[in-house]
Amino acid sequence: MAKETEMQSNFIYTLISKDVAEGKNDGRVHTRFPPEPNGYLHIGHAKAVLLNYKLAKAFNGKFNVRFDDTNPVKEEQEFVDSILEDLRWLGVDWEDRLYYSSDSFELKYEFARRLIQAGKAYVCDLSPEEIREYRGTLTEPGKESPYRNRSVEENLDLFERMRKGEFPNGSRVLRAKIDMASGNLNMRDPVLYRILHVEHHRTGDTWCIYPMYDFDHPFTDALEGITHSLCSIEYTDHRPLYDWIVENALELMPEVIKTRSRQTEFARLNLTYTVMSKRKLRRLVEEGYVSGWDDPRMPTISGLRRRGVTPEAIADFQEKAGVARADSTVSLELLEHCIRNDLNTRAHRVMAVLDPLKVVITNWPAEKTEMLTLENLPGNKAAGTRQVPFGRELYIEREDFLENPPKKFFRLSPGKEVRLMGAYIIKCEKVIKDEDGRVVELHCTYDPETKSGSDKSGKKVKGVIHWVAAAQAARITVRMYGNLFTKENPEAEEDFTACINPHSLATLENVPAEPAAASAPPGTRFQFMRKGYFYLDPEDLKKGKIVYNYTVGLRDSWAKMQK
RNA sequence: UGGGGUGUCGCCAAGCGGUAAGGCACGGGACUCUGACUCCCGCAUUCGCAGGUUCGAAUCCUGCCACCCCAGCCA
């Protein structure tokens, strides 16, 4: 039986528990993640990967990774590499079981031969257009191919010659002989093999006929001993064919096929304010709406990684979003919650002022710099402390000062006091404006009795704001990201590019930050106090530029109150 | 009378005949040198609709409605 597990109850978990209890497959649980190497992984794939992986773990089973590389026209090594990198980053472990469908092309060829010998498959000479016509429609049955009743000998001969390359692309296919009148179109003599004179990224020019998914997938699952083959809802209609293949493989290839693998479908993940289809993601990249597959605004694994999201947050999200069969769209807020939740306990704190307003502490000596000690993770001694310089000229966030503050505004305003985080309480004495009336500088005084950690003043101020000493400030670049789309469901739009958010990226240059922000290693995640979480971009750092990507903001109940 | 699938709180989602879990969001309060975090409290007399069976139904039956998928030699 299953051990204690982090998994929330879901229908697949329940189903597997039942199978194990009944002793199916000798109580073995073996899952797999079968990506096609024709694109980058996105968070929807992460759901599938983690589900498969965690299910295997929960039942002490095994988990394979298998590239579904049966269509050399669309597949490339580049994608194999990126997928593997993303999978490793996600933290799944396939041990030594990394497979490719193409590893077993020879066995599949043999299986196809045996289907022919059993009278269950035939070579069809119909053109693609004719096959479509013969297939019938959703409401009318199809009709049988004139080649359906060829002799076993002729079929074997033709199939062998297909393999040898005697025929051009599209001239012939191998089909299963099932039922042209089935209400399920997948059962109307589905194509098993097609001729493709195309070089394969792994098998080169060894083959010019390639198996179709419906033939290859069930066979490969059974071959690998997969007990539970999870896939998305749109394959539900394929299940009868999946079973047909497995049953025949069990019967005709008993020397290698021993597992009656079963397919179970679940709903794919949709997220608000983004798109998930490979085709649309590709358009975003190719038409330059984003900088690449790893643009931090992309829902790809590489994009999320470069945004600063952690694999732990993704796993938590996957768990919290759940699994079911109903179509659903999870709100982005849940993902953001999981990211904050994770980063809150691990991202060291640092101060940076995104929209600076200069403050002069008039009673602070011009040349004096005091080093203050701040905790990296307030409340967590183990995370240590850092030194932060304090001086006469500082920057504070422009929005933290209001000349005419509304009620309940706890920050700085004329004649009012506020605490500079980790430093002193200051009082705003004078507001300096330019000729246009814009506030350009504040003159304040500090109270020496109020030093953080040794306050002897007894003052209680409600507001605490972050700041950066001007003289020692590091200058960093910050990329602020917003949702890529302005509509919750871009997929529902006539043209999804029409609702692309033109303000999804704002680059802030020369952002003053405390020195620690300039000496962090690539990939560091910080919380810029009171602003949000930020990720030190490794790609830009390689080029010598310190750029922080906005991961997610802190919740802001003040902003909410203003609405 | 094509076939298949799904409908439980704004968004996810448990529930499997015994009288509606949980998370996110939201509202209120406490705490706070992050208006963050944390902590309390609130949030479906009701489970697509209508009938029926039953002492008892979100769970069983019947009918209806809505939405999604399928006519690639893609996966």
Side-chain angles (χ1 to χ4, degrees):
Chain A
M1 272 309 289
K3 306 270 167 38
E4 62 285 357
T5 167
E6 295 171 20
M7 291 195 83
Q8 170 185 322
S9 171
N10 64 60
F11 78 99
I12 302 177
Y13 182 90
T14 305
L15 180 147
I16 297 180
S17 301
K18 189 161 164 281
D19 287 349
V20 170
E22 289 173 1
K24 276 191 191 166
N25 302 302
D26 305 317
R28 216 161 45 77
V29 173
H30 199 154
T31 62
R32 106 266 92 119
F33 176 63
E36 182 189 13
N38 72 341
Y40 283 71
L41 254 34
H42 55 61
I43 192 165
H45 293 110
K47 170 182 181 176
V49 177
L50 294 168
L51 187 58
N52 276 289
Y53 180 63
K54 286 156 85 173
L55 244 9
K57 288 281 262 198
F59 291 94
N60 249 305
K62 292 178 177 171
F63 166 79
N64 294 3
V65 166
R66 175 174 80 237
F67 284 100
D68 235 329
D69 55 351
T70 59
N71 185 358
V73 175
K74 304 162 77 174
E75 296 150 7
E76 298 168 27
Q77 187 60 38
E78 174 202 347
F79 296 123
V80 169
D81 297 339
S82 77
I83 289 169
L84 252 16
E85 180 187 0
D86 290 347
L87 289 175
R88 282 189 208 101
W89 181 76
L90 280 173
V92 298
D93 182 9
W94 53 88
E95 299 176 341
D96 59 347
R97 293 179 305 282
L98 171 62
Y99 301 127
Y100 294 81
S101 274
S102 55
D103 291 342
S104 47
F105 276 172
E106 194 62 51
L107 269 179
K108 288 155 189 166
Y109 177 79
E110 176 57 23
F111 176 42
R113 280 177 44 84
R114 293 190 195 177
L115 279 173
I116 292 171
Q117 284 163 339
K120 293 178 173 178
Y122 62 97
V123 172
C124 182
D125 302 359
L126 254 24
S127 69
E129 299 72 40
E130 289 168 326
I131 285 185
R132 193 186 325 123
E133 285 163 22
Y134 276 70
R135 186 154 37 225
T137 68
L138 291 179
T139 53
E140 300 155 23
K143 49 182 200 234
E144 299 188 346
S145 162
Y147 304 98
R148 200 173 200 258
N149 295 308
R150 288 217 252 232
S151 69
V152 168
E153 293 66 35
E154 186 182 7
N155 279 320
L156 247 20
D157 175 61
L158 253 16
F159 188 47
E160 188 181 339
R161 289 165 62 197
M162 276 170 66
R163 173 181 185 167
K164 282 182 178 161
E166 292 186 21
F167 313 119
N169 291 353
S171 60
R172 279 176 232 264
V173 291
L174 181 74
R175 294 227 256 169
K177 193 186 286 187
I178 305 181
D179 177 11
M180 290 307 291
S182 172
N184 182 344
L185 302 236
N186 297 119
M187 299 301 268
R188 319 240 265 226
D189 288 11
V191 173
L192 269 23
Y193 266 92
R194 77 285 217 187
I195 298 170
L196 249 29
H197 290 274
V198 176
E199 183 141 332
H200 186 280
H201 68 100
R202 286 186 64 84
T203 60
D205 58 4
T206 305
W207 296 89
C208 63
I209 57 172
Y210 292 91
M212 296 287 289
Y213 168 87
D214 282 321
F215 171 79
D216 185 278
H217 203 86
F219 183 88
T220 312
D221 278 345
L223 180 66
E224 290 181 13
I226 301 302
T227 57
H228 299 268
S229 179
L230 312 185
C231 63
S232 46
I233 289 292
E234 64 265 33
Y235 290 100
T236 305
D237 285 345
H238 295 244
R239 195 166 65 224
L241 180 50
Y242 183 101
D243 292 337
W244 188 91
I245 294 288
V246 172
E247 288 305 326
N248 279 106
L250 244 15
E251 183 188 328
L252 304 173
M253 299 284 282
E255 72 276 28
V256 290
I257 303 298
K258 309 188 187 297
T259 301
R260 177 172 277 101
S261 33
R262 293 292 188 189
Q263 171 178 304
T264 300
E265 312 84 19
F266 64 89
R268 39 199 300 175
L269 173 73
N270 292 297
L271 245 195
T272 56
Y273 297 105
T274 192
V275 292
M276 217 68 99
S277 83
K278 276 183 192 171
R279 205 198 116 259
K280 291 194 175 72
L281 292 175
R282 181 182 305 279
R283 256 193 88 183
L284 291 173
V285 173
E286 288 174 356
E287 293 177 25
Y289 292 111
V290 295
S291 64
W293 288 96
D294 67 346
D295 185 297
R297 290 165 292 182
M298 293 283 273
T300 50
I301 300 302
S302 52
L304 292 165
R305 178 166 60 227
R306 202 170 171 188
R307 179 90 179 232
V309 175
T310 61
E312 289 82 0
I314 292 174
D316 185 35
F317 171 69
Q318 186 277 138
E319 191 60 46
K320 285 187 162 73
V323 202
R325 291 183 63 96
D327 292 343
S328 64
T329 302
V330 178
S331 65
L332 225 206
E333 291 157 318
L334 179 61
L335 209 211
E336 294 180 337
H337 162 81
C338 294
I339 297 169
R340 283 189 201 102
N341 201 32
D342 182 39
L343 259 23
N344 180 45
T345 60
R346 59 203 282 185
H348 285 190
R349 262 114 254 224
V350 97
M351 294 188 286
V353 177
L354 302 182
D355 184 14
L357 172 61
K358 191 173 185 180
V359 168
V360 177
I361 309 295
T362 54
N363 59 340
W364 187 276
E367 301 308 318
K368 182 180 173 187
T369 295
E370 177 175 4
M371 295 307 285
L372 300 166
T373 302
L374 271 73
E375 286 182 291
N376 288 142
L377 227 42
N380 180 350
K381 289 266 186 292
T385 59
R386 67 184 185 286
Q387 296 298 109
V388 182
F390 184 88
R392 180 179 164 92
E393 295 196 352
L394 312 169
Y395 292 111
I396 66 168
E397 211 69 61
R398 183 165 287 277
E399 65 173 14
D400 284 340
F401 171 79
L402 239 37
E403 197 168 13
N404 299 298
K407 288 234 175 329
K408 300 244 184 126
F409 182 78
F410 306 144
R411 282 106 101 148
L412 200 58
S413 52
K416 294 290 177 47
E417 293 192 315
V418 76
R419 157 142 252 133
L420 293 180
M421 193 176 280
Y424 300 90
I425 287 176
I426 60 169
K427 181 178 187 179
C428 177
E429 311 282 3
K430 190 176 176 194
V431 181
I432 316 291
K433 299 179 183 178
D434 62 14
E435 49 276 20
D436 301 322
R438 180 179 150 90
V439 177
V440 292
E441 190 175 311
L442 262 25
H443 283 4
C444 299
T445 51
Y446 88 106
D447 181 346
E449 297 295 294
T450 59
K451 182 173 175 179
S452 184
S454 54
D455 191 316
K456 297 182 280 285
S457 72
K459 283 181 182 170
K460 274 287 179 189
V461 289
K462 195 90 167 131
V464 181
I465 64 175
H466 58 101
W467 53 275
V468 167
Q472 295 84 358
R475 295 290 177 165
I476 62 176
T477 297
V478 174
R479 279 193 290 252
M480 296 299 293
Y481 293 109
N483 295 338
L484 231 197
F485 296 93
T486 56
K487 297 272 177 68
E488 253 197 23
N489 180 12
E491 307 261 6
E493 300 298 303
E494 0 36 75
D495 173 14
F496 78 104
T497 60
C499 62
I500 285 178
N501 175 9
H503 310 296
S504 62
L505 168 62
T507 303
L508 311 178
E509 302 286 357
N510 289 313
V511 169
E514 60 175 273
S519 56
T524 298
R525 298 181 184 89
F526 277 123
Q527 181 197 109
F528 287 178
M529 295 290 272
R530 303 206 308 134
K531 296 311 297 185
Y533 296 96
F534 293 80
Y535 179 71
L536 180 51
D537 195 308
E539 298 307 314
D540 288 285
L541 200 58
K542 277 182 202 158
K543 295 176 240 162
K545 266 199 91 179
I546 295 175
V547 181
Y548 280 88
N549 297 328
Y550 179 71
T551 309
V552 66
L554 258 29
R555 291 191 59 181
D556 188 348
S557 56
W558 168 245
K560 206 176 289 175
M561 270 172 68
Q562 299 311 98
K563 288 179 184 170

